[in-house]
Amino acid sequence: MATETIEISIGGMTCASCAARIERKLNKLEGVEASVNYATEKARVTFPGDLSPADLVKVVEDTGYTAELPQAEESPAEEDDPTRSLRHRLITSVVLSVPVIALAMIPALQFTYWQWLSLALAGPVVVWGAWPFHKAAWANLRHGAATMDTLISVGVGAAFLWSLYALFLGTAGTPGMTHGFSLTIERMSGSGNIYFEVAAGVTTFILAGRYFEARSKRRAGAALKALLELGAKDVAVLRDGREVRIPTGDLRVGDRFVVRPGEKIATDGVIEEGSSAVDAGMLTGESVPVEVGVGDAVVGATVNAGGRLVVRATRVGSDTQLAQMARLVEEAQSGKAEVQRLADRVSAVFVPIVIALAVGTLGFWLGTGNGVGAAFTAAVAVLIIACPCALGLATPTALLVGTGRGAQLGILIKGPEVLESTRRVDTVVLDKTGTVTTGQMSLVRVHTAEGEDEEEVLRLAGALEHASEHPIAKAIAKAAGDVPAVEDFQNVEGLGVQGVVDGRAVLVGREKLLNEWSVRLDSVLTEAKQAAENQGRTAVLVAWDGKARGVLVVADTVKPTSKEAIEALRGLGLRPVLLTGDNEAAARTVAREVGIEEVIAEVLPADKVDVVKRLQDDGRVVAMVGDGVNDAAALAQADLGLAMGTGTDVAIEASDLTLVRGDLRAAVDAIRLSRRTLATIKGNLFWAFAYNVAALPLAALGLLNPMIAGAAMAFSSVFVVSNSLRLRGFRSVSG
């Protein structure tokens, strides 16, 4: 039976367990394969022909979430910011909660009817500010699940409802009622206590945490947008022998267009006139520009580094290689499993225990004949004290300090789910060009024939290459420095350059150029050329006055810090793998230089994703470090993607961590900092619960007063924040 694949936008998910629940429901349908991504809020569903997309939407809605089929029209820009609603709730809650907390904690501020002002201020915070938590708790309850939202909703609701009871039916509403600042442990009637500050404070703290988390959450669309923006914006099309500039989107298959030196090729096509060197490095990973001529295929978004070309378009729009890579990135991001929020995993166990304890407390007090008021006071106190506001701060504060310190060191962390991956990573896949190496051609060696001077060979070759735009020529010219003038300069297409320098007829280029002038290499130069090519390097030959004088070896050189970085990655327990689109010989040479044993070379962009998948299928947890467009899909597929900030926007958008510096040691720092931040989050969560768990027995025994509840809340919050601030002392491996 024929199948279709569709992407559905899902709303209302609050954690990774929501995504897992929707996925399970969809996969129960016969013939359906679904992958739900919490971070991108999308479900990618493959379904048989006897089902319709509307059926899939209904399943998601019946599960308690919203679902929308893809729209042809772009959604308005106002809807693009998912943090706007949270920001409004947070600002309002802060403004209203601060006076409520101040009134409850400072007896001197408690004027005659202060408790009624507290109600007026806390009401909107608990009902409107905490609405996302109540809504999520209800959705979870319908499916028999408990998350952090359940804990917040129950705790905040219990504190607020009990306070209403105490105001209207108890003694808390009498004029002149005060809360003394007393931390004594004594049994008291709950009918005289209000907990508005707990309800409002917890809501505000956790809204703050959610806002910072939402702000750092990745939006997958940004990677695809950046990828598609790489292409040329407009193009010079040949119409009736004249050049007419049109938007690239208006190009049609068969159109002939002109590409000048330095311009991007507008779309995939075949060269009909001219020859040049095309820099396809960002798409293919090749460090050396490719020589192309009439009849050769070229790819859109690559850069013409040499002469003028006339290209006939063969693929446009969604058929181009660039568009296919965009699809690869999207598929990789959609299929990526998101880590369930640590607080939710703890809450799933903690919430049922607390509710059971509250019910047990109620039953015990009723059974011992202590009256309904005392029984409900103790039971509600258990629910109130169990709601730790520090829980909402545990992740965001550590993340804020960790990301702040990371930014100072040139490391940008995208979100909390990233950190969980760093703990489990055991394999690090490194792109070669631009990551381990500089990504730029440079002169690495000068071999000379017997009796020739190295400086003279380089000086004369540099003089000729100085006039060329080719990246290899630029590397030689840069190494040569100041050079003499050239006469009768001529560019021999695809072979090299020739001209007269200081009265000598000089040839610089391939062996075929020298052969055309009947110049042969001696055994020393032949051996040097062979050795360079065996290492995947480019050999440029130099001859003048009928004799071969030298071989210039040009290569993409290893960054000075790469070897040290690889050793440090091994020290973190990671196994390095070199992955590149470049040739095997060049890859092996680089790998030997930096100390990597596992090499996978000559891979296409789509194959890079397959390599990462294959490693994952072998049970490895993979980190990928890259910088080019050709790495974007693999970065998205990897369990942890690290992009060099010196690379393309696409790679940066598709990754989880961005390394602003081009230094591979930043990858070591990134993994160390992420692990340290995760450890801090775990410590925070432990103490956030510990303070409250310690006070639970007091609540169950009916000995809890508002000051102890407030103090537990304040102490746990202060501890969490101060523990997070310790991350500011993190030091880089590079000193």
Side-chain angles (χ1 to χ4, degrees):
M1 189 185 286
T3 60
E4 286 181 57
T5 300
I6 195 169
E7 204 164 64
I8 302 172
S9 297
I10 296 176
M13 292 191 292
T14 58
C15 61
S17 58
C18 296
R21 193 175 305 127
I22 297 166
E23 202 170 285
R24 275 199 305 275
K25 292 278 187 184
L26 286 169
N27 285 328
K28 278 182 183 174
L29 297 172
E30 196 174 334
V32 169
E33 280 183 40
S35 166
V36 181
N37 188 307
Y38 166 58
T40 61
E41 296 183 333
K42 285 183 179 177
R44 192 175 187 81
V45 189
T46 302
F47 60 99
D50 58 348
L51 279 175
S52 73
D55 296 329
L56 303 173
V57 167
K58 189 173 186 307
V59 170
V60 176
E61 287 175 343
D62 289 347
T63 312
Y65 304 90
T66 62
E68 279 182 28
L69 294 171
Q71 302 292 316
E73 293 294 312
E74 285 289 315
S75 56
E78 299 87 64
E79 292 174 20
D80 279 352
D81 184 3
T83 62
R84 183 180 282 108
S85 165
L86 264 177
R87 186 167 62 243
H88 290 162
R89 287 181 203 275
L90 173 61
I91 292 168
T92 306
S93 298
V94 168
V95 170
L96 296 177
S97 298
V98 169
V100 174
I101 294 168
L103 284 170
M105 302 295 280
I106 306 169
L109 298 178
Q110 294 169 2
F111 56 90
T112 307
Y113 292 105
W114 72 275
Q115 65 271 49
W116 297 100
L117 177 63
S118 288
L119 169 61
L121 294 172
V125 177
V126 171
V127 178
W128 179 74
W131 179 248
F133 309 132
H134 303 320
K135 189 177 167 189
W138 173 244
N140 288 322
L141 181 64
R142 284 170 55 198
H143 301 99
T147 64
M148 185 177 160
D149 292 308
T150 314
L151 184 56
I152 297 160
S153 183
V154 168
V156 166
F160 188 71
L161 292 172
W162 184 259
S163 301
L164 288 180
Y165 165 79
L167 276 178
F168 291 101
L169 301 174
T171 59
T174 55
M177 186 278 285
T178 59
H179 274 175
F181 196 84
S182 162
L183 292 178
T184 54
I185 296 172
E186 56 183 302
R187 189 164 291 142
M188 58 180 67
S189 167
S191 59
N193 298 331
I194 59 172
Y195 296 95
F196 289 128
E197 81 284 1
V198 175
V202 165
T203 300
T204 304
F205 273 130
I206 290 174
L207 274 175
R210 287 288 168 87
Y211 172 68
F212 292 126
E213 206 172 306
R215 218 173 52 162
S216 65
K217 190 171 163 187
R218 181 174 64 223
R219 299 223 303 276
L224 308 180
K225 191 176 169 201
L227 185 49
L228 295 170
E229 280 178 358
L230 274 178
K233 301 294 179 286
D234 57 13
V235 56
V237 180
L238 289 172
R239 298 266 162 89
D240 302 323
R242 284 175 36 248
E243 289 183 24
V244 181
R245 290 208 86 82
I246 63 168
T248 306
D250 294 345
L251 259 182
R252 296 288 172 264
V253 172
D255 281 350
R256 296 169 80 240
F257 60 92
V258 176
V259 190
R260 290 185 172 76
E263 286 185 342
K264 286 180 181 173
I265 295 169
T267 193
D268 298 1
V270 173
I271 296 172
E272 293 202 335
E273 290 176 30
S275 65
S276 179
V278 172
D279 182 0
M282 67 174 188
L283 283 175
T284 63
E286 284 277 359
S287 51
V288 182
V290 182
E291 300 286 347
V292 291
V294 174
D296 288 336
V298 287
V299 177
T302 55
V303 179
N304 175 14
R308 178 182 183 272
L309 298 173
V310 175
V311 180
R312 180 171 47 80
T314 55
R315 289 189 293 193
V316 295
S318 60
D319 295 329
T320 63
Q321 204 167 317
L322 191 65
Q324 285 166 7
M325 291 177 80
R327 280 197 292 278
L328 275 176
V329 173
E330 188 167 24
E331 283 167 20
Q333 285 187 330
S334 299
K336 190 168 179 177
E338 290 301 329
V339 179
Q340 189 178 355
R341 200 188 284 126
L342 200 53
D344 284 322
R345 296 214 297 273
V346 178
S347 299
V349 178
F350 188 68
V351 173
I353 291 172
V354 167
I355 291 172
L357 183 60
V359 171
T361 301
L362 179 68
F364 172 79
W365 285 97
L366 286 173
T368 53
N370 277 283
V372 177
F376 271 99
T377 299
V380 172
V382 168
L383 294 176
I384 293 168
I385 197 65
C387 184
C389 67
L391 188 62
L393 288 173
T395 299
T397 52
L399 191 67
L400 276 174
V401 181
T403 51
R405 182 66 186 129
Q408 289 173 340
L409 297 171
I411 301 158
L412 308 179
I413 301 172
K414 292 266 178 94
E417 65 277 2
V418 169
L419 304 173
E420 189 85 351
S421 305
T422 60
R423 178 178 57 87
R424 301 175 296 114
V425 164
D426 55 29
T427 301
V428 59
V429 174
L430 301 157
D431 167 55
K432 181 181 78 71
T433 311
T435 303
V436 176
T437 64
T438 59
Q440 294 175 337
M441 307 304 287
S442 55
L443 183 72
V444 291
R445 194 78 195 271
V446 178
H447 297 277
T448 58
E450 202 173 324
E452 298 295 340
D453 178 54
E454 263 187 40
E455 281 186 22
E456 183 68 0
V457 169
L458 183 57
R459 190 176 76 89
L460 296 182
L464 276 185
E465 297 287 37
H466 193 70
S468 173
E469 286 297 306
H470 197 291
I472 290 175
K474 285 180 177 176
I476 294 169
K478 186 179 176 185
D482 290 330
V483 291
V486 181
E487 297 168 49
D488 299 332
F489 174 82
Q490 194 180 339
N491 185 7
V492 184
E493 287 187 2
L495 297 180
V497 289
Q498 60 191 53
V500 177
V501 185
D502 288 351
R504 297 164 179 162
V506 183
L507 305 172
V508 180
R510 298 184 176 188
E511 191 170 2
K512 193 176 174 189
L513 176 66
L514 273 64
N515 291 344
E516 284 184 2
W517 289 81
S518 302
V519 176
R520 298 285 177 265
L521 299 183
D522 62 25
S523 59
V524 174
L525 295 183
T526 302
E527 201 176 302
K529 174 180 174 288
Q530 202 69 49
E533 288 172 351
N534 288 345
Q535 292 178 323
R537 292 171 167 173
T538 303
V540 179
L541 312 180
V542 184
W544 64 77
D545 296 344
K547 185 185 172 189
R549 311 285 177 161
V551 174
L552 307 179
V553 181
V554 177
D556 177 13
T557 50
V558 171
K559 290 178 182 175
T561 56
S562 290
K563 191 171 193 297
E564 181 191 336
I566 305 285
E567 284 170 8
L569 287 169
R570 284 190 198 280
L572 291 172
L574 303 173
R575 177 176 166 187
V577 178
L578 190 67
L579 178 66
T580 180
D582 219 337
N583 66 70
E584 182 88 22
R588 292 272 169 205
T589 302
V590 169
R592 273 195 301 275
E593 205 170 319
V594 296
I596 297 177
E597 290 156 21
E598 202 171 336
V599 177
I600 304 168
E602 298 177 25
V603 286
L604 297 170
D607 297 336
K608 287 195 173 187
V609 182
D610 293 337
V611 167
V612 172
K613 281 182 185 168
R614 194 167 71 240
L615 290 168
Q616 288 169 330
D617 292 342
D618 290 344
R620 299 206 218 169
V621 182
V622 180
M624 165 87 189
V625 189
D627 73 327
V629 177
N630 60 315
D631 302 318
L635 285 166
Q637 175 65 39
D639 298 280
L640 181 70
L642 298 96
M644 298 302 233
T646 48
T648 60
D649 290 348
V650 189
I652 290 166
E653 289 292 353
S655 67
D656 303 301
L657 292 160
T658 302
L659 315 172
V660 176
R661 295 176 286 150
D663 186 341
L664 194 55
R665 288 179 301 183
V668 182
D669 286 337
I671 291 171
R672 284 177 56 242
L673 177 62
S674 298
R675 286 180 176 177
R676 179 95 171 268
T677 306
L678 182 66
T680 303
I681 288 171
K682 286 182 171 176
N684 286 349
L685 286 173
F686 171 79
W687 287 108
F689 279 104
Y691 278 109
N692 296 73
V693 168
L696 277 176
L698 296 178
L701 292 169
L703 300 172
L704 185 71
N705 70 41
M707 288 301 104
I708 290 178
M713 192 172 93
F715 280 131
S716 58
S717 300
V718 168
F719 180 87
V720 159
V721 172
S722 57
N723 189 41
S724 298
L725 289 172
R726 289 168 54 230
L727 282 168
R728 291 196 301 189
F730 178 85
R731 292 279 171 268
S732 167
V733 289
S734 53

